[in-house]
Amino acid sequence: MKIIYTDVLIIGGGLAGLRLGIGAKRRGHDVIILSLVPPKRSHSVAAQGGMQASLANVIKGEGDNEDVHFQDTVRGSDWGADQHVVRMFVNTAPKAVRELAAWGVPWSRVRRGDRDVIINGQKVTLTERNEAHGLIAQRDFGGTKKWRTCYVSDGTGHAMLFTMSDQAIAQEIPVHERTEAIALIHDSGRCYGAVVRNLITGELVAYVAKATAIAGGGAGRLYRVTTNAVISEGIPTAIALETGIAAVGNMEAVQFHPTPIFPAGILLTEGARGDGGLLRDVDGKRFMPDYEPEKKELASRDVVSRRMEEHIAKGKGVKSRFGEHLWLDITLLGEHHIKHNLREVYEICQYFLGIDPTKDWVPVRPAQHYTMGGVRTNYTGESPAKAYSQPARRPAGTCTALIASAGIRWQKPLSPA
Amino acid sequence: MHGFNRLGGNSVAETVVAGMIVGEYIADFCDRSENDIDISTALIHEALEHERAKLDVLIEGNRTENAAVLMTEMKEIMTAKVGIFRHGKKLAEAVDELQKLLVRSRNIGLRYKARGANPELETAYRVQKMLKLALCVAYGALQRTESRGAHFREDFPRRDDAEWLKRTIATWRSETDTLPSLTYEQLDVMKMELPPGWRGYGAKDYIDHPDTPKRTAQIEQVKKKLNGADRFALQQELLPYERLLPERFRGKNERIDEMMEGER
Amino acid sequence: MKNENHTLRQLKISVLRFNPQEPGSAPRMQTYEIEEADGMTLFIALNEIREKQDPSLHFDFVCRAGICGSCGMMINGRPTLACRTLTKDLDSEISLAPLPVFELIADLSVNTGKWMRHMSERLETWVHLNGDKIDLTKPEERMEPELAEKIYELDRCIECGCCIAGCGTVRMREDFVGAVGLNKIARFRLDPRDKRNDDDFYELIGEDNGVFGCMSLLGCHDVCPKKLPLATQIAFLRRKMAAVGWK
């Protein structure tokens, strides 16, 4: 029987798992990360648009701060969010961006002076402040009052994941690639690690750890059409569920993204709309302002997705061999902007659709994108044991939290009370 | 944290922030010697053998269901019946059909029987787990008779804070179950810094929680009382949270328009 | 003949198969027939073959969107990403083989992760902060917008391994760092946050298994799916490192 011992076992090698590992290692604990694939191939790599943090460097972000970010997030959640956790998040997000900046992420930067952008279909000239020159830039995104999304050209996920992975390598954190945790090891309400299958040799190994963390991402592949990678099957969440002790929360909250390409489901970033792209129907009409006069294409994703489906149901979809779809029009952004700031979009259209988005409209239709649900934890990330077998020790603090599935659930071994 | 809908850009932020925060707490936990591992090798052996036996059944059991077929059927049900627009009738069908698939998944046999690298074996044990998650989604959606964020019910199009300002918590009590067990955790409006209201987009029509006007009034009082105080003082009064953060991540964030005193 | 008329053809996909773990397995070509569909990529084709015809076929796809670098393979003799290769751009007879140089797992699946991790450790592909403490409450250090863009241009590498598969030197010496390694050094060299200097980089790549091993055949540049400027970067790095060597 093969057993591997460590202090912290992390199931999942994407942004969350890697950062957790770096944190624990820095504090002197041994860490092992399990990943289905090389960490740099994790689904985190697909995040195109950017990461929100209230740095307020750009002129359209002036006046932004944690309070505004907090409000936007709570509203966006339709009040399903735990507001204590949201506060923790919005306060830490700027620190996260700045930490990554120090570690090497080449965030796009503000250039002082005038520049032209497209807002609501119109060309607008923005003037960036002198004192902002060289600081991290932000762009517009759906559901936000201020421009808050920090980005790296059009490959934010890639840049972040590679920097994070490289820093984990610098910390000498071992990643056991092509391994899969197929069950958690637990006894009397305490998690001791996992039974892990080596996907190359088929060997089963027991990994035993003081603390086990679940950072395995979402479960888009429950659906036929999803923007998610093939590996986004939710297995780490499922093995937590299978303990009979840990719980999952709000699993019915599934987000659909408005603009994956049709029919493949490959994501086209929200940044395409953030930068001024428009949605059009079979008549070429820009229909979103009729449904959402204030936010139009930049209402939150669930709202835009629903409006698009509603519009198709009214008979305004474009008919094709594979079904109906609508159009994303980014031609108005101009060739330079598209090839520069939306290059991944350009490439996806080129390779998977054989079209040129500087000239043509792109077929899109909403598809599954994000799993808001995940393992139930408290604000520290711990999964409390159920009270049915013996009284579980209360987690410190009085508030409880639910961290969404792209983050981390941490199976804390709880000693019996 | 994202509740019933996630804003673009927040997911990537959340992965890193969660890693930062939980990294510290997990380190705190490991620092404490009472958390050292104390587990018998017999227990570990039992866990390994339990999983080995399950894989043996898949490989050698000569059973009849095809893992890839079950996977495809699950995805079709989810896409058709647990999608953007949900309805009680379709959700009930989905729950029923997924349960049947779950039962069938207990009878999977492989065509490719290699014990080493084996994509079909992977599909087999994964579909068994994914069906449980699918049931959590479909069953949770069926029970939630309101619309909130990304969860939209054609038969219950309004947000209903009076009945549904709560979290769905699902557990899977026994391996022989075909449905998750659901309980609900109430959200406490009186602790909210921002009581429920209109998002600013989407539907404006919802049923208020009885505590919402109370808390809203309370917040107005606090604002009046603290008239002139800076935003931090107000925030602290409404929802103190800083002690929940690991010490190294506390502290105000400077920005162009908000430098710390004496820093200009 | 390429599918100019977009009629749907019967495709013959031949795969170089071998599973070193399976006793009795020997390398052989196995041909699968599949009916082409509109918009079919090799991702779609291979998955269909595995699901409907041969569950023992091994290959790696993750993002299926040309971003993650998992699906590098030899397609009609040329290393490229399979997920974004449309069958309509190929002849009806297609030949697939795993990337050479990397450790074979089985069939079309190779262990690029292991190779890349080793390369990262060897070349220390991370920003060396030299113990500088970061105060996270303070604004970030500034950077010129153009420099950020330049760094990103080189950071775009997805470690797919196509450059290695297309490299002449690495076939002759296993320890050659390859274009992927040299590009990484170029990237970190450009980055002011990395406190290493040219002497430090010389230690890492200033020999025949480093930048001086490159024979300038530039197969790497030809096959890079991200169209990284490998030719110019390698040449530039060679000049800089040669200058260090002469000191």
Side-chain angles (χ1 to χ4, degrees):
Chain A
M1 151 167 92
K2 187 156 169 202
I3 304 178
I4 295 177
Y5 288 92
T6 188
D7 294 328
V8 181
L9 177 67
I10 302 176
I11 303 175
L15 280 171
L18 290 168
R19 182 58 184 82
L20 171 50
I22 292 169
K25 189 79 200 284
R26 265 195 326 201
R27 294 270 305 266
H29 300 290
D30 278 340
V31 173
I32 294 179
I33 296 179
L34 305 177
S35 180
L36 290 178
V37 297
K40 286 169 175 167
R41 311 210 192 288
S42 303
H43 187 48
S44 302
V45 80
Q48 292 171 15
M51 123 165 213
Q52 286 201 38
S54 56
L55 299 186
N57 291 331
V58 294
I59 197 69
K60 292 291 269 180
E62 203 182 5
D64 194 23
N65 56 38
E66 295 84 358
D67 295 346
V68 189
H69 193 180
F70 171 81
Q71 301 241 340
D72 284 345
T73 301
V74 172
R75 284 184 210 284
S77 78
D78 220 353
W79 280 271
D82 180 311
Q83 297 193 14
H84 289 81
V85 175
V86 178
R87 268 290 167 192
M88 290 166 74
F89 166 71
V90 300
N91 191 279
T92 311
K95 301 184 174 70
V97 172
R98 287 166 171 166
E99 185 175 71
L100 285 170
W103 286 355
V105 171
W107 298 108
S108 293
R109 303 285 175 149
V110 178
R111 190 177 278 109
R112 65 167 70 88
D114 289 348
R115 66 190 177 107
D116 287 337
V117 297
I118 308 283
I119 299 180
N120 200 19
Q122 310 277 33
K123 190 185 277 201
V124 172
T125 303
L126 299 178
T127 307
E128 299 297 345
R129 296 165 286 179
N130 246 345
E131 56 268 32
H133 184 85
L135 294 178
I136 296 170
Q138 286 84 47
R139 73 193 324 172
D140 200 4
F141 241 42
T144 64
K145 282 214 162 64
K146 300 279 180 185
W147 289 26
R148 181 184 308 127
T149 301
C150 306
Y151 61 101
V152 180
S153 199
D154 59 353
T156 307
H158 167 96
M160 289 171 69
L161 183 60
F162 271 59
T163 292
M164 195 72 90
S165 184
D166 285 336
Q167 286 295 326
I169 297 175
Q171 294 277 331
E172 296 178 22
I173 296 173
V175 180
H176 293 194
E177 295 173 10
R178 297 182 187 257
T179 63
E180 182 169 12
I182 57 173
L184 293 178
I185 300 173
H186 63 103
D187 183 48
S188 305
R190 179 172 177 155
C191 176
Y192 289 96
V195 174
V196 178
R197 183 170 180 269
N198 181 312
L199 298 180
I200 298 179
T201 63
E203 187 188 16
L204 290 184
V205 177
Y207 284 67
V208 176
K210 284 191 207 174
T212 304
I214 297 208
R221 290 280 157 174
L222 293 178
Y223 289 78
R224 174 171 46 84
V225 193
T226 170
T227 62
N228 290 189
V230 153
I231 52 176
S232 300
E233 297 179 308
I235 304 302
T237 301
I239 65 174
L241 181 68
E242 284 181 330
T243 58
I245 300 171
V248 295
N250 288 348
M251 284 304 288
E252 67 269 27
V254 175
Q255 185 184 76
F256 293 80
H257 194 287
T259 58
I261 61 173
F262 181 84
I266 296 170
L267 177 67
L268 290 184
T269 177
E270 183 152 330
R273 281 171 292 132
D275 290 355
L278 307 174
L279 291 168
R280 296 188 188 279
D281 66 14
V282 67
D283 303 320
K285 177 178 174 201
R286 183 191 178 195
F287 57 91
M288 278 306 295
D290 294 341
Y291 292 101
E292 298 295 328
E294 282 187 43
K295 288 296 219 168
K296 311 180 183 81
E297 278 84 356
L298 291 176
S300 74
R301 289 167 180 187
D302 58 313
V303 168
V304 178
S305 296
R306 269 202 294 280
R307 297 307 194 184
M308 289 170 73
E309 287 298 318
E310 224 179 294
H311 203 61
I312 290 174
K314 284 188 183 152
K316 290 297 185 178
V318 182
K319 296 190 178 20
S320 86
R321 276 190 78 223
F322 301 103
E324 292 176 287
H325 63 83
L326 294 164
W327 297 114
L328 173 68
D329 175 8
I330 58 172
T331 61
L332 70 169
L333 302 183
E335 192 174 333
H336 178 84
H337 182 92
I338 293 172
K339 287 193 168 156
H340 231 73
N341 296 56
L342 292 172
R343 182 177 24 191
E344 294 288 355
V345 170
Y346 182 79
E347 286 183 7
I348 286 166
C349 291
Q350 184 191 4
Y351 285 106
F352 296 96
L353 293 168
I355 67 178
D356 180 353
T358 64
K359 303 191 175 68
D360 303 317
W361 297 348
V362 187
V364 295
R365 185 165 185 173
Q368 195 284 347
H369 178 61
Y370 188 79
T371 318
M372 267 77 76
V375 177
R376 173 80 179 79
T377 69
N378 66 14
Y379 76 91
T380 63
E382 294 174 39
S383 167
K386 280 194 70 99
Y388 68 87
S389 53
Q390 42 197 312
R393 193 176 68 197
R394 286 198 146 273
T398 55
C399 73
T400 53
L402 184 65
I403 304 181
S405 69
I408 295 170
R409 261 60 64 194
W410 164 26
Q411 289 287 18
K412 188 191 86 162
L414 288 175
S415 38
Chain B
M1 189 202 82
H2 304 298
F4 272 74
N5 184 58
R6 168 183 77 79
L7 294 184
N10 262 0
S11 90
V12 156
E14 195 245 343
T15 60
V16 181
V17 169
M20 290 163 84
I21 294 174
V22 179
E24 296 306 308
Y25 284 125
I26 216 170
D28 288 346
F29 179 82
C30 290
D31 282 344
R32 298 195 285 269
S33 61
E34 68 261 27
N35 295 322
D36 282 351
I37 306 165
D38 176 19
I39 180 179
S40 77
T41 48
L43 197 98
I44 300 174
H45 183 79
E46 199 190 306
L48 276 168
E49 288 314 303
H50 184 78
E51 292 308 311
R52 204 185 307 281
K54 279 164 47 181
L55 293 177
D56 283 348
V57 166
L58 285 171
I59 297 172
E60 293 164 355
N62 285 321
R63 301 200 174 177
T64 53
E65 293 286 353
N66 181 319
V69 165
L70 295 180
M71 187 72 95
T72 303
E73 288 186 28
M74 173 190 72
K75 293 174 198 252
E76 283 304 329
I77 294 167
M78 294 301 285
T79 303
K81 302 185 179 180
V82 196
I84 295 183
F85 286 105
R86 298 163 171 186
H87 192 286
K89 184 165 170 297
K90 288 226 166 313
L91 290 171
E93 283 172 20
V95 170
D96 186 59
E97 290 164 27
L98 288 169
Q99 285 182 284
K100 293 197 167 77
L101 287 183
L102 182 62
V103 171
R104 284 170 63 191
S105 78
R106 292 167 183 166
N107 202 20
I108 291 176
L110 304 180
R111 293 163 290 160
Y112 179 45
K113 296 184 196 283
R115 284 190 169 275
N118 185 338
E120 196 189 6
L121 175 59
E122 291 167 24
T123 303
Y125 59 72
R126 288 176 192 163
V127 73
Q128 291 173 332
K129 298 177 199 297
M130 290 166 77
L131 281 164
K132 292 180 179 131
L133 292 183
L135 277 158
C136 290
V137 179
Y139 193 51
L142 173 63
Q143 299 300 102
R144 183 172 287 270
T145 49
E146 65 145 5
S147 290
R148 184 178 298 270
H151 169 74
F152 187 85
R153 290 280 298 257
E154 291 173 311
D155 45 350
F156 294 95
R158 298 172 90 191
R159 192 180 88 202
D160 183 354
D161 289 348
E163 278 299 314
W164 283 106
L165 196 57
K166 45 198 189 190
R167 239 167 246 136
T168 307
I169 303 294
T171 52
W172 203 279
R173 295 228 176 102
S174 148
E175 194 51 37
T176 52
D177 283 352
T178 60
L179 271 188
S181 310
L182 300 187
T183 56
Y184 293 92
E185 280 176 12
Q186 184 68 39
L187 268 69
D188 188 350
V189 174
M190 299 313 289
K191 293 225 168 70
M192 289 187 184
E193 186 182 329
L194 182 66
W198 179 54
R199 289 204 275 175
Y201 41 84
K204 247 184 178 158
D205 183 22
Y206 53 85
I207 303 170
D208 262 332
H209 190 277
D211 285 347
T212 296
K214 258 193 265 171
R215 179 60 176 161
T216 307
Q218 205 175 61
I219 291 175
E220 285 311 303
Q221 293 281 38
V222 171
K223 281 189 176 148
K224 280 205 186 80
K225 186 177 87 177
L226 288 179
N227 190 23
D230 68 20
R231 66 183 185 92
F232 298 105
L234 174 62
Q235 194 285 314
Q236 175 74 2
E237 190 66 28
L238 293 175
L239 197 159
Y241 75 94
E242 233 200 0
R243 69 195 157 83
L244 303 176
L245 280 170
E247 228 182 287
R248 80 191 299 160
F249 297 130
R250 297 181 196 164
K252 301 193 176 123
N253 298 310
E254 286 189 19
R255 42 183 72 82
I256 295 176
D257 297 324
E258 249 185 339
M259 299 298 257
M260 294 305 116
E261 260 124 45
E263 287 286 341
R264 283 221 186 253
Chain C
M1 203 180 64
K2 280 196 189 161
N3 193 5
E4 311 275 292
N5 297 326
H6 301 286
T7 52
L8 295 178
R9 307 166 290 173
Q10 205 47 27
L11 301 174
K12 286 199 165 99
I13 302 184
S14 299
V15 180
L16 177 57
R17 300 208 57 194
F18 176 42
N19 189 340
Q21 276 183 74
E22 234 161 54
S25 174
R28 75 235 178 246
M29 293 302 286
Q30 183 166 349
T31 304
Y32 302 96
E33 286 199 27
I34 182 175
E35 197 184 302
E36 196 173 24
D38 229 6
M40 183 180 258
T41 60
L42 286 178
F43 167 72
I44 297 171
L46 284 170
N47 272 290
E48 201 179 297
I49 290 170
R50 182 156 78 185
E51 206 173 299
K52 305 238 163 81
Q53 299 182 39
D54 186 352
S56 75
L57 183 60
H58 291 86
F59 48 76
D60 295 320
F61 290 101
V62 175
C63 75
R64 60 82 166 95
I67 299 174
C68 74
S70 298
C71 63
M73 62 177 72
M74 304 298 281
I75 301 177
N76 295 335
R78 192 188 166 95
T80 189
L81 298 180
C83 70
R84 61 177 202 191
T85 301
L86 292 161
T87 54
K88 75 168 171 60
D89 293 334
L90 302 171
D91 293 347
S92 62
E93 289 187 12
I94 302 166
S95 165
L96 302 178
L99 290 183
V101 178
F102 300 98
E103 181 186 281
L104 179 70
I105 295 172
D107 303 332
L108 298 168
S109 172
V110 298
N111 204 333
T112 49
K114 191 163 150 183
W115 196 99
M116 293 293 168
R117 168 94 188 209
H118 177 75
M119 180 272 300
S120 286
E121 286 169 354
R122 177 177 159 195
L123 298 181
E124 300 183 27
T125 59
W126 55 84
V127 164
H128 285 57
L129 298 163
N130 284 358
D132 286 347
K133 284 229 152 247
I134 317 161
D135 183 349
L136 295 179
T137 61
K138 296 264 177 289
E140 58 276 20
E141 257 184 51
R142 290 166 198 269
M143 179 182 283
E144 285 299 315
E146 290 79 15
L147 179 57
E149 283 173 23
K150 280 208 185 102
I151 296 171
Y152 177 62
E153 277 311 304
L154 304 183
D155 190 82
R156 289 175 67 230
C157 168
I158 59 176
E159 298 188 8
C160 62
C162 288
C163 59
I164 298 298
C167 175
T169 301
V170 81
R171 299 300 197 112
M172 299 187 323
R173 49 178 318 153
E174 264 181 19
D175 58 350
F176 181 54
V177 299
V180 56
L182 297 175
N183 180 66
K184 296 252 180 214
I185 296 293
R187 177 251 180 273
F188 285 102
R189 196 179 164 274
L190 202 52
D191 195 330
R193 295 166 293 193
D194 190 328
K195 306 297 179 214
R196 290 178 286 183
N197 57 30
D198 277 353
D199 287 346
D200 298 316
F201 292 123
Y202 189 85
E203 287 300 305
L204 297 171
I205 58 164
E207 30 183 303
D208 285 347
N209 57 25
V211 72
F212 300 121
C214 171
M215 298 188 287
S216 300
L217 296 174
L218 298 176
C220 55
H221 186 96
D222 291 339
V223 302
C224 175
K226 288 290 160 186
K227 302 206 173 28
L228 296 173
L230 297 172
T232 46
Q233 289 303 315
I234 294 173
F236 180 72
L237 211 50
R238 189 186 322 191
R239 288 204 308 279
K240 291 294 171 187
M241 291 296 107
V244 174
W246 283 329
K247 273 201 296 204

